Amino acid sequence: MSTTTASPSALSSLLARFRRTPGPVKPAGSGRRWLRVLGYLLFFLVSFVFCVYLTFPYDRVRDFVVHQVELAIPGSELEIVGLEPAWLTGIEARGVRLRLPAEPTEPARAGAAGQEPRRPLRPSVTIPYLYARASILSYLLGTTEVVFEVETDGGGTIEGVVSDDGTTSHATATLQSVDLRRIGVLRHYLGVSLGGEVSGELDMTLAEEAEGTDGTLRLAIAGATLGDEQFQVPLPVPGFSALQLARVELGDLEVQVTVEDGVGRVDRLAGDGQDLVLRGTGSLRLLRPLRMSALDVLLRAAIQPPYLQRNPAVQAALDLAGSRPLVAPYRAPDGAFQIRLQGTLGSRVTALA
């Protein structure tokens, strides 16, 4: 009887087949098919967003913005020369001009020869370039957040972020070389022109409750000036109407305000100019809306001898004022003037001795 023995190589191959566990057979090209579908979907989404971006009716957006601003500020007029898209949720506006409501003026007396009723004054704000972008993620979370960049008239810039969740508003801003002389609205409300370039930072939170309102403000005005070559300043002193002055050099002004629990404290308000030395202190109670905020600031201004020597009329007016008892409460023992400003930002501020 003969026995047949399998070769070691053939036996090894047979046992290896039994040890293998068969798995599911993947069809050829399935991975490539999913990549192709994903590519088509991505191409569709990009094309859709790109088409919407290019064909969005920005002219209607401009009309809507103009209408909303004029509704929010009755009597105002907003002009926007150009409005274009910027990135996905941003806009770029050029040639923006906001004319604020006219203030009533005293008409000329009837029968006065050669006089016509004066037209109401219309202060305006001009912005050559404005960029704003809304945050979609913040909007989905219930907060309106806008990143902005403003190029002011004169070349300065203001950049920052403004957010509002319905009960609290937060604003951060950085000012860089903003020319005060080109901001006509300041001249309108102050009565005199201001010169100089202002830079600084703002970080402020306004809440409905005073405990939630805090922040800081730091400003520096380089080469600050007050008035034109010749200008008049109405005096808050009984018995005086206005004083004729020449331009006042204020030097470099510094302003620092710290807000805690809704009350702003003036930490520093100082300027050491060659014509005037200015100091200030006081407080500001911040409220929502901002126009209801209360102001209480004490200012001290010392006119320097070189300025009086160049303007003898001012020296004569000061000598005359010093002889009147109504002026005495406004002057310190060293001859400097001290005035207390009180009122709200939305109404007239009064000057007290």
Side-chain angles (χ1 to χ4, degrees):
M1 181 176 178
S2 63
T3 305
T4 304
T5 305
S7 63
S9 59
L11 182 60
S12 303
S13 300
L14 181 61
L15 293 177
R17 290 183 181 181
F18 283 102
R19 285 198 299 265
R20 291 176 184 173
T21 303
V25 180
K26 297 183 179 180
S30 60
R32 297 179 180 178
R33 186 181 302 110
W34 280 110
L35 289 176
R36 191 179 300 114
V37 172
L38 183 61
Y40 288 149
L41 181 60
L42 183 62
F43 176 77
F44 170 78
L45 291 177
V46 172
S47 301
F48 176 77
V49 173
F50 186 72
C51 292
V52 171
Y53 182 80
L54 293 180
T55 61
F56 196 81
Y58 284 94
D59 291 338
R60 295 186 179 182
V61 173
R62 178 180 58 187
D63 297 339
F64 175 78
V65 172
V66 170
H67 180 67
Q68 292 298 318
V69 171
E70 293 179 351
L71 284 179
I73 310 177
S76 64
E77 296 180 4
L78 179 64
E79 299 177 4
I80 303 177
V81 175
L83 189 67
E84 300 176 354
W87 296 99
L88 186 59
T89 61
I91 59 172
E92 291 183 354
R94 300 183 184 277
V96 179
R97 184 183 183 188
L98 174 63
R99 302 183 67 187
L100 299 176
E103 295 185 355
T105 57
E106 296 181 1
R109 281 187 266 179
Q115 292 187 0
E116 297 181 358
R118 292 181 298 172
R119 294 183 177 181
L121 299 177
R122 298 292 302 274
S124 62
V125 179
T126 301
I127 301 176
Y129 172 79
L130 168 66
Y131 165 78
R133 177 176 57 82
S135 173
I136 296 180
L137 180 59
S138 299
Y139 181 78
L140 295 176
L141 296 177
T143 301
T144 302
E145 182 178 290
V146 177
V147 180
F148 66 90
E149 178 183 350
V150 177
E151 179 182 328
T152 61
D153 194 9
T157 59
I158 303 176
E159 301 177 1
V161 181
V162 177
S163 62
D164 192 299
D165 60 3
T167 59
T168 304
S169 301
H170 182 250
T172 60
T174 301
L175 292 78
Q176 186 67 35
S177 302
V178 177
D179 191 353
L180 293 179
R181 191 171 293 276
R182 303 292 291 271
I183 304 178
V185 68
L186 291 178
R187 181 189 183 101
H188 174 82
Y189 286 110
L190 296 178
V192 294
S193 63
L194 287 178
E197 293 187 350
V198 57
S199 301
E201 296 179 350
L202 168 70
D203 188 347
M204 195 70 60
T205 299
L206 292 177
E208 293 184 349
E209 301 294 335
E211 293 76 8
T213 298
D214 54 18
T216 57
L217 171 65
R218 295 183 178 88
L219 297 177
I221 307 176
T225 60
L226 178 66
D228 302 315
E229 293 296 334
Q230 296 291 331
F231 67 102
Q232 288 187 345
V233 175
L235 296 179
V237 181
F240 289 85
S241 57
L243 181 63
Q244 185 76 22
L245 297 176
R247 177 177 297 168
V248 182
E249 301 291 339
L250 302 177
D252 295 337
L253 287 178
E254 295 184 10
V255 179
Q256 295 183 10
V257 179
T258 302
V259 180
E260 295 180 355
D261 297 334
V263 178
R265 182 184 68 253
V266 180
D267 297 325
R268 180 172 177 80
L269 197 166
D272 296 320
Q274 62 181 7
D275 295 337
L276 188 72
V277 175
L278 182 66
R279 293 292 185 271
T281 185
S283 63
L284 175 65
R285 181 172 294 275
L286 297 175
L287 300 173
R288 282 170 56 104
L290 193 59
R291 65 177 181 274
M292 300 301 296
S293 300
L295 176 72
D296 187 359
V297 175
L298 178 65
L299 294 178
R300 170 188 169 89
I303 304 177
Q304 299 302 293
Y307 183 80
L308 298 177
Q309 294 174 4
R310 298 196 310 269
N311 301 273
V314 177
Q315 180 66 68
L318 293 178
D319 294 339
L320 179 61
S323 63
R324 299 198 176 191
L326 295 177
V327 182
Y330 290 87
R331 302 198 71 177
D334 60 356
F337 285 89
Q338 293 187 159
I339 299 176
R340 189 174 186 176
L341 303 177
Q342 288 183 329
T344 59
L345 299 182
S347 63
R348 185 176 298 275
V349 177
T350 59
L352 306 175

